[in-house]
Amino acid sequence: MKVEIYRVSETSLIVYFGHSINLELIERIALFSHTVQQRYQGKIIEVIPSYTTLLMEYHPVKTDVQELMYWCKTQAEQMANSKAVTSESKTVTFPVYYHPEVAPDLEHIAKEKQLSVQQVIDIHSKNEYTVCAIGFAPGFAFLGTVDPKIAIPRHSEPRLNVAKGSVAIADEQTAIYPQQTPGGWQIIGNCPVDLFNIEQEPMMPFEVGDKVRFEPISREKYLALGGVL
């Protein structure tokens, strides 16, 4: 696989690992993100990994940009073409209350997919997802991939207010809304755990390349954990 790298400003580079999305590539990008930050500690300000790219901001005074570009291209191509990847990812489990009183689209998806509500819950919660990208809002992780049995397009007209903690599906991706916001994804549950806290370190419980699982919980446990109806 050929890796492409370009300067996009006086203080940033972008590395293209490919042009098609797959979970294995995301894991390689996540590993590269860790590696470059460790090697250039104190010189790299921020890295933003995504589905097929990694955007990197660096200190222009502390960094030899030509050396950085050469190292990034060499290291990225080595990782992209290696047969095995030693992942540094972790698995995070989130509690979810799957019920129509917090999930306005749960029964609709079940009917649309000719499944029972419990089958939708089982299919969604028994899968393991990869954090493919973080964006849209702080703490909003795009998770892939949803089982085709319950994959469903987003609403044609977004809701003006989606409750904080809403667990939702859009096509083959799922996510948790970290705060109340407009949104068009199909809501199937609610998670009472905060996904973004500026006063904590780290501010988010996951990063790109990590794995996410969902654990169904009862109404009582949901309320005990701070869930809102």
Side-chain angles (χ1 to χ4, degrees):
M1 179 184 299
K2 182 180 179 181
V3 173
E4 299 171 339
I5 181 167
Y6 302 100
R7 296 184 70 173
V8 293
S9 77
E10 293 179 347
T11 61
S12 58
L13 305 172
I14 189 167
V15 183
Y16 288 89
F17 286 79
H19 301 283
S20 59
I21 299 170
N22 66 73
L23 297 184
E24 184 178 303
L25 182 60
I26 289 165
E27 292 178 357
R28 294 171 190 270
I29 294 172
L31 178 58
F32 177 81
S33 174
H34 286 287
T35 304
V36 71
Q37 289 179 88
Q38 289 170 1
R39 178 178 174 87
Y40 291 95
Q41 191 171 13
K43 298 180 180 181
I44 300 298
I45 299 171
E46 185 178 19
V47 295
I48 305 174
S50 188
Y51 292 92
T52 59
T53 65
L54 183 136
L55 181 66
M56 183 187 320
E57 184 180 3
Y58 58 87
H59 288 283
V61 176
K62 298 179 180 180
T63 307
D64 180 338
V65 66
Q66 295 302 325
E67 189 275 334
L68 175 62
M69 290 180 69
Y70 175 79
W71 183 89
C72 284
K73 183 172 178 61
T74 302
Q75 186 72 21
E77 286 185 345
Q78 180 180 330
M79 288 184 178
N81 293 307
S82 63
K83 293 182 179 180
V85 176
T86 304
S87 175
E88 296 187 15
S89 68
K90 61 183 179 295
T91 299
V92 186
T93 301
F94 293 107
V96 178
Y97 177 45
Y98 295 94
H99 194 279
E101 65 180 332
V102 294
D105 300 309
L106 183 57
E107 292 176 321
H108 163 71
I109 293 174
K111 183 178 179 180
E112 186 76 14
K113 295 295 183 175
Q114 299 182 329
L115 299 167
S116 68
V117 167
Q118 188 59 51
Q119 285 175 315
V120 174
I121 295 170
D122 290 344
I123 292 169
H124 186 262
S125 63
K126 289 179 179 177
N127 196 12
E128 183 177 76
Y129 303 92
T130 299
V131 179
C132 299
I134 299 174
F136 171 64
F140 189 101
F142 293 85
L143 308 174
T145 56
V146 170
D147 190 305
K149 295 185 185 72
I150 59 170
I152 191 166
R154 67 190 69 201
H155 292 289
S156 58
E157 187 172 324
R159 292 183 172 94
L160 294 179
N161 289 298
V162 173
K164 176 184 175 180
S166 291
V167 178
I169 295 173
D171 297 311
E172 294 185 353
Q173 296 184 107
T174 188
I176 306 172
Y177 281 80
Q179 59 194 21
Q180 181 176 307
T181 180
W185 291 36
Q186 307 252 7
I187 302 168
I188 62 170
N190 193 281
C191 172
V193 175
D194 284 336
L195 298 186
F196 182 79
N197 188 334
I198 198 170
E199 297 180 356
Q200 292 182 352
E201 182 59 41
M203 291 182 284
M204 296 177 289
F206 43 59
E207 55 188 334
V208 171
D210 283 347
K211 306 298 182 182
V212 169
R213 300 193 69 90
F214 296 109
E215 178 187 3
I217 58 173
S218 66
R219 188 178 194 268
E220 291 72 24
K221 186 171 183 179
Y222 171 71
L223 293 173
L225 290 171
V228 177
L229 298 176

